[in-house]
Amino acid sequence: MKQRERLYWRCRRGLLELDIVLQRFLDKHYAQLDETQLKTFETLLLLPDNDLWDIISSKKEAASENLKSLLKLLQQS
């Protein structure tokens, strides 16, 4: 399975809001992401749904600078 397809599948979550935001993000930004950003995105996908949604919706702050820069793109999607 190609990396984009695998990531798209992993974006399917228990929260519809996450499905929408994550899949739109991939549709819009995947081609421009570098290797570091892709790895950061995969790390982000390891988070539990509620924690991930809290970070995306700015209820919690991201731990690292890599996550913060990727979150800016995610929040624009």
Side-chain angles (χ1 to χ4, degrees):
M1 186 181 287
K2 295 180 184 177
Q3 183 179 18
R4 184 180 188 282
E5 293 168 352
R6 185 177 54 80
L7 283 175
Y8 202 81
W9 180 254
R10 289 186 61 206
C11 288
R12 297 190 58 167
R13 308 297 289 234
L15 294 173
L16 178 61
E17 295 88 347
L18 282 176
D19 289 359
I20 293 168
V21 170
L22 295 173
Q23 290 173 356
R24 282 184 184 167
F25 171 78
L26 278 184
D27 289 341
K28 187 174 182 180
H29 296 287
Y30 179 80
Q32 293 84 27
L33 296 177
D34 62 28
E35 200 60 37
T36 301
Q37 290 171 316
L38 286 171
K39 287 181 182 180
T40 302
F41 185 68
E42 288 186 26
T43 301
L44 203 59
L45 293 176
L46 295 174
L47 294 172
D49 286 355
N50 290 327
D51 292 341
L52 180 53
W53 181 248
D54 286 347
I55 290 172
I56 291 172
S57 63
S58 300
K59 291 179 184 175
K60 289 184 181 177
E61 191 167 325
S64 73
E65 287 302 316
N66 287 342
L67 282 176
K68 288 179 184 179
S69 65
L70 189 66
L71 282 170
K72 286 180 187 177
L73 287 175
L74 255 168
Q75 291 164 340
Q76 294 170 359
S77 297

